[in-house]
Amino acid sequence: GQYGPKGALFSGWESRRHNPTCDWCIIQLGIPGFILGFDIDTSHFNGNEAPEASVQALFTTEAEDLFPEDERWVELLPKVALGPNSRHLFTIPQTDRAYSHVKLNMYPDGGIARFRVYGLVSPIFPPLTETFDLASVYAGGRTVQVSDQHFGIGSNLVLPGRGKDMRDGWETRRSRVAGHKDWAIVKLGAPGFLEQLEIDTANFMGNFPESAEIHATSSPHDIPEVTEDAWVPILRRTQLGPHRRHYFQLDNVHEVVFTHIRVTIHPDGGIKRVRVYGKRARANEDEITVAEPEVPLNTTVSKPITNGIDHIEKPLIACLTSKTIPAVPLTPEGFATFGHVVQAYNTPEAAPRGIKVTGANQGSAIKYHALAPVRQSYPVEMGAKTAMSVYRASPIDATIGETFD
């Protein structure tokens, strides 16, 4: 192993020896939620693992320093025994309220490699008339079923941001079977009216899917118990490109409430994020407004949404009585039905398949060749052609009067 000034180096939390009471660690959750269980992992700690642990939790909306003796701490997991180099999984009845912080106590001292808290997000919702990402984890969206997640788990699809690298996306194993496809089902944070969709292949440069299609359905269950006919095609099979965001308008969504989407990729590959923009169909019966009714601020939910669409009624909202045509950024895949998009890409890897890319100007520029066909009147025997290309150039650091070859 490797050693530092204070002993062996471990990937985890290890405290000094001979503690007469216990050691503790306070963790703020990524977003408040209803807790269902814990994973206290002592991997690689063998002989120096924490012998026992317990978990407490509290909720606060204030940016405050929390202390172990705070009277608001509620015990969720009483003291339990731990073993060396093992994962310890504990389930508890789902909490009846959301918590924002947890406190992990270990008795009396030792090491814990990882601590994971499982549960359901307490959604944060905007007003009914506002468009937002219904699939976002912040809105309560979650991936409930996948066909394969060999390299990257499906739950990454609903995370915020564009991530760091391929590890925080959804990626399936390579297929060797003709006609193969993989899929992931996402339960939206709330039943809603869908408007547009984004598929992000950030960091997937040579392993992005050849194409993708999206279906949607309505079901009161976490995993839809519906026939294939109940899945409505909202995005026809469309080619995808590497390492970029793809924006699409949707079909068959006008005045239809959906609770789930199914992302199908052909034949396999990786996707970083899927974002489904739309409006909620109705307010949740347990929704708490954090401002006066006439002030259009965000709302949160005091209890998890588990009843799907059992009580949905057609809302009387003026903006939903007529069709909305969303404005989405122009992409080669989204515009393919109508023509070509002439643009320079951030990196050569993000260019569509088949586009020739070369360096230019002594490496200070990148040339994207023949991005769109051009009608021309040259005689065939001349062998001449017209090409429409774009350069993406970077400035060269130089002083006044300096010359270049």
Side-chain angles (χ1 to χ4, degrees):
Q2 293 181 317
Y3 288 81
K6 296 183 179 181
L9 302 179
F10 286 88
S11 177
W13 170 41
E14 184 180 13
S15 64
R16 70 181 69 199
R17 302 185 185 209
H18 313 307
N19 191 336
T21 54
C22 74
D23 286 314
W24 51 268
C25 178
I26 295 175
I27 301 170
Q28 181 177 355
L29 303 179
I31 186 171
F34 307 89
I35 297 175
L36 291 163
F38 308 97
D39 179 5
I40 304 177
D41 188 349
T42 59
S43 292
H44 308 296
F45 287 96
N46 190 348
N48 56 346
E49 74 281 354
E52 296 177 306
S54 67
V55 181
Q56 297 168 289
L58 66 71
F59 176 82
T60 180
T61 58
E62 305 297 328
E64 57 179 312
D65 293 330
L66 298 177
F67 299 95
E69 60 273 8
D70 195 309
E71 295 181 351
R72 294 173 295 172
W73 289 112
V74 176
E75 186 175 75
L76 299 184
L77 182 69
K79 187 184 294 186
V80 293
L82 304 179
N85 194 31
S86 304
R87 294 181 64 179
H88 305 82
L89 301 173
F90 304 98
T91 60
I92 62 172
Q94 180 178 302
T95 58
D96 58 2
R97 58 168 296 183
Y99 291 99
S100 60
H101 295 72
V102 294
K103 180 161 76 80
L104 173 63
N105 308 298
M106 63 179 178
Y107 306 90
D109 50 52
I112 294 175
R114 297 292 185 269
F115 176 54
R116 303 174 180 92
V117 181
Y118 298 100
L120 300 175
V121 164
S122 177
I124 300 174
F125 291 138
L128 281 174
T129 56
E130 185 172 321
T131 296
F132 70 108
D133 181 7
L134 287 161
S136 169
V137 65
Y138 289 138
R142 52 196 173 106
T143 305
V144 295
Q145 193 175 27
V146 296
S147 62
D148 182 274
Q149 49 184 358
H150 186 78
F151 294 109
I153 59 176
S155 57
N156 288 335
L157 287 173
V158 299
L159 294 180
R162 302 192 71 199
K164 181 180 179 181
D165 52 36
M166 287 186 293
R167 289 174 295 180
D168 54 18
W170 171 50
E171 185 180 3
T172 66
R173 71 184 72 210
R174 293 185 184 229
S175 169
R176 309 300 183 184
V177 180
H180 179 81
K181 58 186 177 182
D182 283 312
W183 50 265
I185 296 177
V186 175
K187 181 182 180 182
L188 305 179
F193 299 93
L194 312 186
E195 298 175 4
Q196 54 184 288
L197 184 137
E198 176 188 341
I199 298 176
D200 190 352
T201 57
N203 304 120
F204 291 100
M205 300 181 187
N207 50 351
F208 61 96
E210 182 273 334
S211 58
E213 57 184 320
I214 310 291
H215 293 74
T217 194
S218 295
S219 171
H221 303 102
D222 285 346
I223 299 177
E225 299 177 2
V226 298
T227 63
E228 183 61 29
D229 293 342
W231 286 99
V232 179
I234 60 173
L235 177 68
R236 66 183 181 279
R237 183 172 174 177
T238 305
Q239 284 193 329
L240 299 180
H243 189 51
R244 65 172 179 272
R245 303 167 74 174
H246 307 73
Y247 301 90
F248 303 102
Q249 296 185 24
L250 302 176
D251 301 319
N252 306 316
V253 296
H254 182 50
E255 292 189 337
V256 182
V257 176
F258 293 109
T259 61
H260 296 73
I261 66 161
R262 185 179 67 194
V263 182
T264 303
I265 58 175
H266 300 268
D268 50 48
I271 290 176
K272 180 59 71 73
R273 301 287 185 266
V274 173
R275 301 180 177 92
V276 184
Y277 297 101
K279 296 181 177 70
R280 286 188 294 156
R282 58 160 292 160
N284 184 49
E285 59 184 6
D286 298 311
E287 190 169 290
I288 298 175
T289 303
V290 297
E292 294 299 319
E294 65 270 18
V295 180
L297 294 181
N298 287 352
T299 56
T300 188
V301 172
S302 63
K303 294 183 180 179
I305 298 175
T306 57
N307 62 341
I309 59 169
D310 288 345
H311 305 292
I312 289 178
E313 299 173 359
K314 189 172 181 180
L316 299 176
I317 302 176
C319 67
L320 295 179
T321 58
S322 59
K323 185 174 183 180
T324 300
I325 302 177
V328 298
L330 194 63
T331 62
E333 292 76 22
F335 195 68
T337 303
F338 310 99
H340 296 75
V341 175
V342 178
Q343 71 174 76
Y345 298 87
N346 291 332
T347 65
E349 292 82 9
R353 191 188 304 270
I355 296 297
K356 182 180 178 181
V357 182
T358 60
N361 293 352
Q362 298 177 330
S364 66
I366 299 173
K367 181 180 180 181
Y368 297 89
H369 295 255
L371 295 170
V374 179
R375 290 186 179 181
Q376 53 197 19
S377 58
Y378 294 114
V380 176
E381 59 271 15
M382 291 184 63
K385 65 177 182 179
T386 301
M388 185 176 294
S389 305
V390 174
Y391 290 82
R392 190 177 187 93
S394 300
I396 298 176
D397 293 331
T399 58
I400 297 178
E402 186 177 357
T403 60
F404 295 87
D405 295 333

